Amino acid sequence: LVQLVESGGGSVEAGGSLRLSCTVSTLIYNNCYMAWFRQAPGKEREGVGSIDLDGNVAYADSVKGRFTISKDNAKHTLYLQMDMLKPEDTAMYYCAADHNFRHLVAGPEYWGQGTQVTVSS
């Protein structure tokens, strides 16, 4: 079963922190590049960051230094630690995966259902 399930969203004041989790089915976790995306109302979807099979990570400039992507191989879980949150980080956050890194960036094959993050000023 191909599955990505996010959790951990919520509401927080500016400057606060949240950690999102994405539990990933074994087939995807062991064979795919993974990423976090977000989409705010009225805005285009934005890539937040990605992680490859070796654990190398890359971030969008807008979150660099504030967000951290990691994964737990024993739990098959992808994480997004978000610190120093800003109101402009408010969005629906999605984890995603693809067998091909270029496809991951352009339009991943596998998606989670999303989790809402709201940051108040």
Side-chain angles (χ1 to χ4, degrees), residues 3 5-6 8 10 17 22 25 27 36 40 50 53 64 71 90-94 96-97 99-101 106 112:
Q3 193 172 21
V5 180
E6 299 100 334
S17 298
C22 177
S25 60
L27 185 66
W36 288 96
S50 63
L53 295 174
K64 202 171 292 183
K71 59 181 182 177
T90 295
M92 186 70 79
Y93 283 72
Y94 301 88
H99 297 278
N100 181 288
F101 185 76

Side-chain angles (χ1 to χ4, degrees), residues 14 29 50 67 69 72 80 111:
Y29 190 91
S50 63
F67 290 11
I69 293 174
D72 185 325
L80 179 64
W111 290 90

Side-chain angles (χ1 to χ4, degrees), residues 23 47-49 59 63-64 67 69 76 92 102-104 116:
T23 303
V48 174
Y59 300 97
V63 305
K64 202 171 292 183
F67 290 11
I69 293 174
H76 286 187
M92 186 70 79
R102 289 185 179 179
H103 294 170
L104 180 73
Q116 177 68 36

